[in-house]
Amino acid sequence: MKALYRRYRPKTLSEVVGQEQITSVLEKAIKNGKIAHAYLFIGPRGTGKTSVARILAHQINDFNYELEDDYLDIIEIDAASNTGVDNIRDLREKAIIAPSKGKYKVYIIDEVHMLSKSAFNALLKTLEEPPEHVVFIMATTDAYKVPVTITSRSQVFTFKLANPSVMLEHLRKIAKAEKINITDEALEIVVRRGGGSFRDSLSLLDQVSTLSDDQIDADLLNKALGLPAQDALISILNGYAAGDAAHVRDTLAELLDTGIKPEVIADNLITTILDNPQPIWLGLMDKLTEVSRNAYPNVKLLLALTAPATPVAPAFPVAPAPKPRAVMATAVKPVAAAPAPKAQPKPEPEPKPTPEPEPAPTPAPAAPPITSDADAAEVWNQIILHCEETSPGIVRFLHDADYTYADSKLTIYAKKKFNQKQIDKRRSVIAEVLPEGCTIEVNDQVLAQDADLAAIAEIMGGGEEVTIDE
């Protein structure tokens, strides 16, 4: 039995789903007889490039695609295994021969970016002066590797990943036709995991169709694929926003106990944030991307989720528009007849207008006294917001830094020497937000999470956070 992605492969341009911006143009070109000598299909894998190339090759020759015959006038070449110049020279020699049955001899070159430089040069000779009966259809996932000389001589069509709603409806129809009893929530997981690729999504649907003879729901699918439930992800993010480290730690431990890898949890948390971006969650994304690169990803993930939440404010605050000045109407007096000119004394120079004093800078908001970690987090947010208005150049260094507050002393851990120097230059700006009597220390060290590591050791059996430099 054929796989689903092969069984439901489109056979005409009108059956292609999600690429109407391409198929409509090609259908009009075929109808009007305006066939180009070279096409270049670019886009991610699984979006239908090869399928459309085969359909186009059949339709311009009036071949029946459903028969799946091996027509001699349609030649498919895998550039990944035919990269040399000799292969292209052989193609050039055979391209001169007229087609045996159809109107055109069509060469479909898949993954054309894999050709060598000399092979591209040989192909260019044919594209510059192609025989009238030859059509090249090239497909690639890496368009930037195709020389501009080839691209400029081809009609370029860009294939896009499928819209989630389009993919969901497509999978729903196939599931109904195949009598696969699956819920919409489970199909949404398939769509998410497929990433907009029709082939990947259909392959995954084919895989999960055998999970149960009864209804396939989201819980069953998550367990089969080793994915965290969406409710658990939302619960972790809400606990992070509320500063409830105990809840986050317990929920995360439950997910890890089921065998879900921390890298998978971090990846799904990022996807959840992107689907529903909240300012309080956005500051977490940078830390989540580091989980997969760490020697102890479970430790890194827990540290990221139990750190104080820092909401991300707009990088460029919009200044209010200036108010228009009121224009005073001036009455015009009638001008009397001028008397005979008399000698006038030399006018004295008018005194220079006294410049208006510049407005005093707006003082930073007064900071409340720091008596707890929550107060320290609030003051840290005020520091970032104040620096965005007065010294935006150091905001990104503050976002990367950690901090502690003890004995009326704010210690900023910049992590890098360069970051430390940049923050230290604006020490006076930061001090404007701090309570009276508070001192500042800026160093290039990384904050040691001793308390957190002790809690992690109790749950995970020990471990030391080690960052691997790429």
Side-chain angles (χ1 to χ4, degrees):
M1 181 180 290
K2 289 183 179 180
L4 286 181
Y5 79 88
R6 293 188 60 192
R7 205 180 319 161
Y8 288 92
R9 179 177 288 166
K11 297 179 176 60
T12 63
L13 290 175
S14 60
E15 294 180 7
V16 177
V17 178
Q19 307 295 344
E20 289 76 13
Q21 77 282 2
I22 295 174
T23 56
S24 60
V25 175
L26 294 178
E27 285 178 329
K28 291 179 182 177
I30 295 173
K31 181 179 180 181
N32 298 328
K34 296 182 178 180
I35 308 301
H37 69 278
Y39 296 90
L40 178 61
F41 294 165
I42 64 177
R45 60 187 178 85
T47 51
K49 300 184 297 296
T50 306
S51 296
V52 172
R54 290 171 179 165
I55 293 172
L56 180 61
H58 282 75
Q59 289 195 201
I60 63 178
N61 279 319
D62 291 327
F63 292 159
N64 189 345
Y65 188 79
E66 295 185 3
L67 296 179
E68 295 190 0
D69 290 343
D70 293 330
Y71 294 101
L72 297 177
D73 296 332
I74 300 177
I75 304 98
E76 292 192 34
I77 300 173
D78 180 17
S81 55
N82 297 275
T83 61
V85 63
D86 293 336
N87 303 110
I88 301 302
R89 286 174 178 168
D90 183 61
L91 180 153
R92 289 173 53 190
E93 293 174 0
K94 294 180 179 179
I96 301 174
I97 303 174
S100 61
K101 187 176 181 180
K103 184 178 181 181
Y104 298 97
K105 178 175 283 190
V106 184
Y107 287 91
I108 300 175
I109 307 178
D110 199 12
E111 300 299 338
V112 69
H113 66 273
M114 299 291 288
L115 292 178
S116 64
K117 183 177 180 180
S118 55
F120 270 124
N121 291 334
L123 179 62
L124 180 61
K125 294 292 183 182
T126 306
L127 292 181
E128 288 176 339
E129 298 178 1
E132 293 184 0
H133 60 268
V134 174
V135 174
F136 289 96
I137 307 177
M138 299 167 284
T140 178
T141 54
D142 295 320
Y144 67 95
K145 293 183 180 179
V146 180
V148 178
T149 51
I150 300 293
T151 304
S152 62
R153 290 170 172 81
S154 309
Q155 286 192 9
V156 181
F157 291 90
T158 302
F159 287 69
K160 300 178 182 179
L161 294 170
N163 185 282
S165 60
V166 174
M167 180 66 76
L168 180 63
E169 183 61 27
H170 184 57
L171 295 182
R172 189 184 287 126
K173 290 180 180 178
I174 294 176
K176 184 177 180 180
E178 293 292 321
K179 298 180 180 179
I180 301 173
N181 190 4
I182 185 171
T183 65
D184 281 351
E185 289 184 355
L187 280 178
E188 289 174 359
I189 296 174
V190 174
V191 171
R192 218 164 29 239
R193 296 292 293 176
S197 167
F198 286 94
R199 183 170 62 243
D200 291 354
S201 299
L202 284 173
S203 296
L204 186 56
L205 179 62
D206 204 359
Q207 174 187 340
V208 305
S209 63
T210 58
L211 288 178
S212 174
D213 294 333
D214 298 326
Q215 190 178 65
I216 302 172
D217 57 15
D219 291 337
L220 179 61
L221 193 57
N222 284 327
K223 291 177 182 178
L225 299 178
L227 302 175
Q230 192 67 18
D231 292 343
L233 297 175
I234 296 295
S235 179
I236 288 176
L237 291 174
N238 288 336
Y240 166 79
D244 190 349
H247 173 75
V248 171
R249 193 159 49 234
D250 293 342
T251 308
L252 185 59
E254 291 177 4
L255 292 177
L256 294 174
D257 286 343
T258 61
I260 302 175
K261 294 183 178 180
E263 298 92 330
V264 175
I265 297 175
D267 182 65
N268 280 266
L269 284 171
I270 292 174
T271 303
T272 303
I273 295 173
L274 290 175
D275 291 341
N276 185 23
Q278 302 291 331
I280 196 69
W281 295 346
L282 294 178
L284 178 62
M285 294 184 63
D286 187 42
K287 297 177 182 178
L288 292 176
T289 58
E290 299 175 0
V291 171
S292 60
R293 301 194 295 265
N294 201 273
Y296 296 94
N298 53 345
V299 175
K300 189 68 178 179
L301 179 60
L302 186 56
L303 288 176
L305 292 172
T306 55
T310 304
V312 176
F316 301 97
V318 181
K323 295 181 179 179
R325 293 181 179 179
V327 180
M328 301 296 293
T330 305
V332 181
K333 296 181 179 180
V335 180
K342 297 181 180 180
Q344 299 289 338
K346 187 176 181 181
E348 296 182 2
E350 296 181 0
K352 295 182 179 180
T354 304
E356 296 181 0
E358 296 183 358
T362 304
I370 302 176
T371 58
S372 65
D373 291 342
D375 292 339
E378 178 63 25
V379 171
W380 183 255
N381 291 340
Q382 291 294 335
I383 289 174
I384 292 177
L385 294 175
H386 181 56
C387 289
E388 284 175 346
E389 298 177 356
T390 57
S391 301
I394 67 166
V395 172
R396 64 188 182 96
F397 302 114
L398 293 176
H399 278 303
D400 291 339
D402 291 324
Y403 68 91
T404 58
Y405 181 84
D407 299 329
S408 298
K409 178 181 179 181
L410 174 68
T411 305
I412 301 176
Y413 298 87
K415 300 181 181 179
K416 296 179 182 179
K417 181 71 71 176
F418 178 78
N419 295 13
Q420 176 201 7
K421 292 181 179 179
Q422 298 302 315
I423 296 174
D424 209 33
K425 290 179 181 178
R426 302 294 187 272
R427 180 191 293 263
S428 60
V429 177
I430 298 174
E432 294 175 0
V433 187
L434 295 176
E436 186 177 355
C438 182
T439 59
I440 306 173
E441 178 186 341
V442 184
N443 58 50
D444 59 351
Q445 301 173 9
V446 177
L447 174 62
Q449 302 281 357
D450 295 334
D452 289 332
L453 286 175
I456 294 164
E458 183 180 350
I459 297 175
M460 308 292 182
E464 178 184 357
E465 182 188 10
V466 179
T467 301
I468 300 176
D469 295 329
E470 292 185 344

